[in-house]
Amino acid sequence: MPLPALFQSLRLPVIAAPMFIVSNPDLVIAQVRAGVVGSFPALNARPASQLDEWLHQITEATQESSVPFAVNLIVHRTNNRLEEDLALLEKWKVPLVITSLGAREDVNAAVHGWGGKVLHDVIDDTFARKAVAKGADGLIAVAAGAGGHAGLQSPFALMQEIRAWFDGPVALSGAIACGRSILAAQAMGADFAYIGTPWIATPEANAVDAYKQAIVEGAAADIVNSNLFTGVHGNYLRPSIVAAGMDPDNLPDGDKSQMSFASGGNMDAKAWKDIWGAGQGIAAVHAIEPVADRVATLAAQYQSAKDELRVRTGMSAAVG
């Protein structure tokens, strides 16, 4: 199936980002039923055999929907489950695979072999070019402000450089938490907004209540960027770092050579479980609400932003 055809039935141009621990079958199913692409990291299914059960559950529950779901694969050498997980994705013919931390031709070829498509997440133009050269069908541009593992570049700079040479599908990530930001992502050249943090504050998400409430109460100033916890730079909630007994303003550098995604890092305080990921857009989240309600809110905001922009551009044309 051509990649654009996968997205024809979306209610919103949104791909829900896969979040470690938080994304589970209940969340993915709710997202798909609400009209956005739902996703989860394969590593969230533990033990590895549980991935088969999850894929069965999600496939059965969403088979009446034409909206696809996606599974995220960490293709870095530290992921010793990659081949096993890839085989299960092939078994269930997962329509969309999101690859992270290293583009691999063999993985892309395997996904294409069962008719799936691959989106690879990148933090700069160099990685974007490598991903496309190795067979990725589309890109996820992870800009500054995104929750969890995030890039450091402005979304304006990142999208500008990618769109200078790539005309394929692109999703933009980075502090997108309201309908106005979805429209802004499209204005910058993205086809989709890639949204993570707002889904944490939903009943369907696999997050403790304190985590969900911290999202509701937080703002951009509560986000700390550090590579301490996994060896890769990421954005985390300040209160969770404090609760772990650390000073968020004086964190040491992490060791990239010691990356360990299967365990959430190599410290006593584990990334995702104890140190909570979140993006800078959290101030747009005002309550814990079901996925369906959150999508409805985003859709209303998105339409309102389009209407407002239409009026603004009309006024500008009249003045000019």
Side-chain angles (χ1 to χ4, degrees), residues 258-298:
Q258 298 300 313
M259 283 193 296
S260 178
F261 298 103
S263 63
N266 45 44
M267 302 177 57
D268 291 337
K270 299 299 184 183
W272 326 124
K273 179 179 182 293
D274 305 305
I275 308 299
W276 301 331
Q280 292 178 0
I282 57 174
V285 181
H286 304 297
I288 298 170
E289 59 182 355
V291 167
D293 292 348
R294 178 133 294 148
V295 171
T297 297
L298 289 170

Side-chain angles (χ1 to χ4, degrees), residues 9 16 47 51 59 67 69 74 78 95 104 114-115 139 146 157 177 205 217 230 239 249 256 297-298:
S9 299
L51 180 58
T59 301
V67 175
F69 72 92
I74 299 295
T78 58
R104 285 182 47 172
W114 73 70
L139 300 169
E217 296 173 357
T230 66
D249 295 317
K256 190 173 182 179
T297 297
L298 289 170

Side-chain angles (χ1 to χ4, degrees), residues 174-189:
I176 301 175
C178 67
R180 186 186 299 274
S181 296
I182 297 172
L183 184 61
Q186 290 184 304
M188 281 189 277

Side-chain angles (χ1 to χ4, degrees), residues 124-125 143 153-163 188:
D124 61 33
D125 187 62
Q153 292 186 356
S154 160
F156 292 97
L158 187 54
M159 285 303 307
Q160 172 181 280
E161 293 188 3
I162 289 173
R163 279 304 187 210
M188 281 189 277

Side-chain angles (χ1 to χ4, degrees), residues 14-319:
V14 167
I15 299 174
M19 295 176 286
F20 283 112
I21 298 181
V22 172
S23 299
N24 62 0
D26 288 344
L27 183 60
V28 173
I29 291 166
Q31 289 164 337
V32 169
R33 288 177 173 173
V36 301
V37 177
S39 73
F40 72 96
L43 290 175
N44 278 9
R46 298 179 186 180
S49 58
Q50 189 179 54
L51 180 58
D52 189 40
E53 300 170 15
W54 281 20
L55 291 173
H56 185 190
Q57 180 183 351
I58 294 169
T59 301
E60 288 292 310
T62 62
Q63 62 182 345
E64 301 300 322
S65 174
S66 54
V67 175
F69 72 92
V71 177
N72 172 229
L73 289 177
I74 299 295
V75 297
H76 191 268
R77 57 180 173 76
T78 58
N79 181 9
N80 57 15
R81 279 180 45 175
L82 179 59
E83 298 304 323
E84 181 180 0
D85 289 347
L86 188 61
L88 287 172
L89 268 60
E90 180 178 11
K91 173 184 175 181
W92 291 100
K93 302 294 187 291
V94 172
L96 190 62
V97 176
I98 298 169
T99 54
S100 305
L101 294 172
R104 285 182 47 172
E105 292 181 2
D106 58 331
V107 173
N108 293 338
V111 177
H112 294 156
W114 73 70
K117 301 296 180 182
V118 178
L119 298 180
H120 187 70
D121 64 13
V122 299
I123 60 172
D124 61 33
D125 187 62
T126 298
F127 285 120
R129 291 176 183 272
K130 289 181 179 179
V132 172
K134 292 185 178 182
D137 301 288
L139 300 169
I140 297 169
V142 185
H149 293 145
L152 299 175
Q153 292 186 356
S154 160
F156 292 97
L158 187 54
M159 285 303 307
Q160 172 181 280
E161 293 188 3
I162 289 173
R163 279 304 187 210
W165 60 273
F166 183 64
D167 61 2
V170 177
L172 178 62
S173 171
I176 301 175
C178 67
R180 186 186 299 274
S181 296
I182 297 172
L183 184 61
Q186 290 184 304
M188 281 189 277
D191 300 288
F192 310 99
Y194 196 65
I195 299 178
T197 302
W199 310 117
I200 299 170
T202 63
E204 295 91 345
N206 182 35
V208 297
D209 291 342
Y211 188 2
K212 297 179 183 184
Q213 194 58 38
I215 297 295
V216 173
E217 296 173 357
D222 296 303
I223 304 302
V224 176
N225 185 273
S226 174
N227 67 351
L228 172 63
F229 305 107
T230 66
V232 176
H233 277 282
N235 286 322
Y236 304 95
L237 276 168
R238 178 179 294 268
S240 68
I241 298 173
V242 173
M246 291 177 278
D247 180 356
D249 295 317
N250 291 284
L251 295 174
D253 286 336
D255 184 354
K256 190 173 182 179
S257 69
Q258 298 300 313
M259 283 193 296
S260 178
F261 298 103
S263 63
N266 45 44
M267 302 177 57
D268 291 337
K270 299 299 184 183
W272 326 124
K273 179 179 182 293
D274 305 305
I275 308 299
W276 301 331
Q280 292 178 0
I282 57 174
V285 181
H286 304 297
I288 298 170
E289 59 182 355
V291 167
D293 292 348
R294 178 133 294 148
V295 171
T297 297
L298 289 170
Q301 293 171 341
Y302 177 67
Q303 185 58 52
S304 177
K306 288 200 292 185
D307 293 342
E308 181 181 330
L309 184 61
R310 190 175 298 113
V311 171
R312 285 184 176 181
T313 53
M315 291 176 60
S316 297
V319 172

